Amino acid sequence: MKHAQLAVDLGRGLVLKNPVMNASGTFAYGEEFSRIIDLNMMGGIVTKGLSINPKEGNPTPRVAEAASGMVNAIGLENVGIEKFLKEKLPFLKGFNTPVIVNFFGNSEEEYVLMAEKLSVDGIAALEMNVSCPNVKKGGIQFGRDPEVLGELVYSVRKKTEKPLIVKLSPMSSDICRMAASAQEAGADALTCINTIPAMVIDEKTKRPVLGNITGGLSGPAIKPVALKIVWDVSRHVGIPVIGAGGIASHKDAIQFFLAGASAVQVGTQLLVEPFCLPGIIEGISGYLSDHGITGLKEICGKLEI
């Protein structure tokens, strides 16, 4: 049986050998996972969100189980850009897999500075995290106002030639406008979605479970929401959409492709089943072959209504 073509082009020279990546924040910098899976088989490696300075993150507990998912409030803990470039990137460059660096700033100026510093050899693309509720301009979160987001993406776009992916928040009142604004400002691709604000309460202690009180819901519980958003956004923009949110199997990934995604990111499932990525990639290949599909483009956005 002839194997289907899994390669996907996400724009500006970013070509993945297959459409499966990890989601930022669930893979650290790849070192631990490299001991149990071959990172060369992944479509792309997405790092933890990076900031200018190291960040300790939120007080513990940071993770709590929820029905069909989990709520986390890690608080963007990371080693900072200088330590990443010096100690983490050389390790990641040893694999034949594009490295995509997720980054954020506390201001527009920090976003721009991060993009400049990350425009180095060994980094294939940048993924802007505009979903953090603590990062604002003029009191408005970057991820919730189309005009503010457009200004931010435009400023970053001017400072880097790297493929630029914008990871959108599901909490916008009109995510299609946000997506269009990011595209018009120069984004090459979009990631949909990030986690959904949530909380968990311990009825015995009458206190929030998380040290940060609230966090973000991820996992299978948010998959239907993510599918709807990918379907909406992919019909409103002309750039690739990367689906994320509750993907735990190749069947989930296929559903996202049908909704319009060109690639997918696996997050919470990596914490449940660290070995899941090879099986998801093989499952996608098997599905395409079984259905006589020669390439991913043949099913992307082919949801029948």
Side-chain angles (χ1 to χ4, degrees), residues 162-204:
K162 298 285 185 185
L164 185 60
I165 303 165
V166 177
K167 187 169 185 176
L168 296 175
S169 167
M171 300 312 295
S172 167
S173 60
D174 188 344
I175 197 167
C176 289
R177 282 189 63 201
M178 298 294 293
S181 180
Q183 176 186 247
E184 291 168 5
D188 299 299
L190 305 167
T191 300
C192 300
I193 57 175
N194 210 323
T195 58
I196 297 174
M199 71 184 301
V200 180
I201 294 174
D202 185 330
E203 75 281 0
K204 295 177 182 176

Side-chain angles (χ1 to χ4, degrees), residues 63-76:
V63 177
E65 287 193 33
S68 299
M70 72 172 191
V71 180
N72 86 83
I74 305 300
L76 297 170

